[in-house]
């Protein structure tokens, strides 16, 4: 995340998923699987970060990306 070559401001969920789909072109993964990849990334972040870090991250992202973090359940015992 720290090495990103662009500012995430202004990206909504649709843009984020579209960018993932673009990066999947030429791979064995179907482009329509991009939403699943976006969900997997946010799930992994949710597990790796503390509650405070996750809230800090969300506060820095466009509110249109909030749906990526909805429904994420964290099982810290098995993480």
């Amino acid at each position: 995340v720290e090495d990103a070559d662009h500012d995430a401001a202004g990206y909504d969920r649709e843009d984020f998923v579209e960018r993932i789909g673009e990066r999947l072109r030429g791979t064995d993964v179907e482009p329509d699987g991009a939403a699943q990849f976006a969900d997997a990334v946010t799930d992994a972040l949710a597990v790796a970060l503390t509650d405070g870090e996750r809230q800090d991250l969300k506060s820095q992202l466009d509110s249109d990306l909030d749906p990526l973090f909805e429904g994420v359940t964290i099982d810290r015992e098995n993480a």
Side-chain angles (χ1 to χ4, degrees), residues 39-51 53-54 57 69 72-79:
D39 291 339
V41 167
T42 53
D43 287 354
L45 284 171
V47 170
L49 301 174
T50 66
D51 291 338
E53 289 169 332
R54 190 172 57 259
L57 171 65
F69 291 92
V72 174
T73 57
I74 302 167
D75 180 0
R76 298 244 185 244
E77 291 183 23
N78 294 310

Side-chain angles (χ1 to χ4, degrees), residues 5-20 22-23 60-66 68:
D5 60 356
H6 57 80
D7 182 7
Y11 281 86
D12 62 13
R13 185 180 196 283
E14 184 178 322
D15 292 334
F16 183 62
V17 171
E18 184 177 317
R19 285 179 60 90
I20 292 171
E22 289 171 6
R23 291 180 185 239
Q60 295 177 51
L61 297 174
D62 192 295
S63 62
D64 288 342
L65 292 175
D66 284 347
L68 289 172

